[in-house]
Amino acid sequence: MSQRADVVVIGGGPGGYEAAIRAAQLGLSVICIERRLHKGKPALGGTCLNVGCIPSKALLDSSHKYHDLKAGYEKHGIQFDGLKIDIPDMLARKDKVVDQLTTGIAGLLKGNGITWLQGSGQLLAGKRVEFTPHEGEAEIIEAEHVILASGSKPIEINAAPLVDDIVVDSTGALEFTEVPKRLGVIGGGVIGLELGSVWSRLGAEVVVLEAMNDFLTIADKAISKEAKKIFTKQGLNIRLGARVTGTEVNDQQVTVTFTDDNGEHSEVFDKLIVAVGRRPVTTGLVSADSGITLDERGFVHVDDHCRASVPGVYAIGDLVRGPMLAHKAMEEGVMAAELIAGHHAQFNYDLVISVIYTHPEVAWVGLTEERAKSEGYEVKAGQFAFAVNGRALAADDNAGFVKFVACAKTDRLLGMHIIGPGAGDMIHQGLIAMEFGSSVEDLQLMCFAHPTLSEVVHEAALSVDGRAIHAIQRKRK
Ligand code: FAD
Ligand code: NAD
């Protein structure tokens, strides 16, 4: 006899496991199918917990501590000898963090009465799901509702096929057992900058080969300009307009050939990371007669409520349009579960935060100045630097600035952009303000604690109207 469930979730990443938990909280019977084996063990948590957000942040934190100790403490009057780094220990700590979190998710599913089936799921016609375990016979599950949450995987390029642990994707770049002398990174996007920073801080000479002529085009122009300046000063050699034409591996090294406006070049590296974006995982996810349609870019086609082309089937996370971010996947999962349970639910796609966890961090929410103008807004903007902020100076961590973009006619906040210490946390001030439809004046009228980094947020809001206090600005109103 086949199993049945109110909800079958295919994929146990942040989108899938949050959907499963919320559906169970709402009293539905839930099966979550996840096939991932991480280091030989079945694991929930998807890309995010196993090979994405969490392990990359563990290495970013370890490498930041090492780099700070190496270069940053003499000014504070703190000196010591004998600083050493043990990469296998660093990797072991990262693995422990991953293990703790993925085990925790397994506990949460169990505690919520959710059945985790270890193996692959495929949606068939009529909301039937075929489950194929890692070992043993396939079985059919009858589902009232299905949530597709199979995530994404790295894009591979013909010019740089992966080779053992020399030419690697982001997963391989989390596992280097020693610091490469010379590290190449194809792609100057989020992964390139974060993982490039990890290995650069630990001593690698890092060259980033970015195909576009402009740097970090998704960010506000003022932010990307500052980011390029800061990352270059930190030692990342960012080569823009670099089109990789081929790679050759010899004697544990890789030669990369590329062209740019100055002609053809070649560079030799000990390791090469290919980080040119990710694509949705759709192979084997749905049968040909399932009725599910894909969009022109290969994502599962959904509406604003993540409803796919078959009634009762939802798709969420990296598998569907929108930014490939864990928090976006999570909120979509919760929304899908609530809709299935008959609740009203929606998701504000205009306010999805982006954070790049370099140091300083880069974070933004809402519209860039360029985008706001192209959407027809009469824009006013203001920014304020961490350079003169008391707390940032006290910590000797004062690069970057906060920028606000607002509508000149209505005073409404349209976007907040930060490059600076704690940007990934401070950006939530902008998120909350914008969710509540705040004006610039609302922020100007608030009393921010002193001395805090957040005072820069206050000053940036004041500077929109030319009235920041710790800068020479002519007060206009
Ligand atoms: P996934 O996390 O990819 O999970 C999907 C799961 O489905 C996988 O475990 C897969 O095994 C399983 N699956 C697929 N097909 C099937 C099937 N047919 N049957 C059963 N199981 C299946 N995002 C952030 O927001 N912040 C960050 O700091 C961040 N850092 C990142 C760092 C790196 C190096 C990478 C690679 C990504 C990072 N991301 C980050 C992106 C983030 O990991 C993804 O956006 C997020 O994991 C997407 O969640 P998801 O649930 O849609 O898919
Ligand atoms: P990305 O889209 O951020 O950057 C890819 C970069 O590679 C782009 O700048 C692109 O112009 C460049 N590129 C593409 N093809 C190229 C080529 N042939 N040669 C040279 N450059 C090329 O993608 P990513 O860095 O691989 O990250 C994948 C996804 O994972 C992103 O969507 C991101 O949102 C997510 N992620 C998020 C975080 C975070 O939130 N902090 C961290 C890591 C990854």
Side-chain angles (χ1 to χ4, degrees), residues 72-144:
Y73 281 13
E74 282 198 358
K75 277 195 211 163
H76 295 263
I78 303 168
Q79 293 176 23
F80 48 84
D81 297 321
L83 180 66
K84 276 199 279 198
I85 182 164
D86 186 313
I87 301 293
D89 277 359
M90 188 179 283
L91 299 185
R93 189 196 80 94
K94 166 200 59 115
D95 291 341
K96 213 170 146 192
V97 174
V98 167
D99 200 45
Q100 186 177 345
L101 288 169
T102 53
T103 310
I105 300 302
L108 281 174
L109 291 206
K110 198 168 172 209
N112 278 288
I114 299 161
T115 305
W116 168 20
L117 297 181
Q118 298 169 4
S120 292
Q122 184 183 49
L123 176 68
L124 310 176
K127 283 183 288 176
R128 293 159 73 244
V129 175
E130 183 177 70
F131 164 62
T132 310
H134 291 306
E135 278 168 33
E137 296 282 294
E139 61 173 297
I140 299 294
I141 305 164
E142 309 284 343
E144 288 294 324

Side-chain angles (χ1 to χ4, degrees), residues 15 20-21 35-36 45-46 62 95 122-123 192 230 239 242 245 273 306 330 336 352 354 382 387 400 417 431 445:
I21 291 173
R35 68 181 173 201
R36 180 177 294 270
S62 295
D95 291 341
Q122 184 183 49
L123 176 68
I230 293 174
R239 309 280 297 259
T245 49
I273 305 172
C306 290
M330 290 169 174
V352 179
S354 292
H417 307 269
L431 172 73
L445 289 172

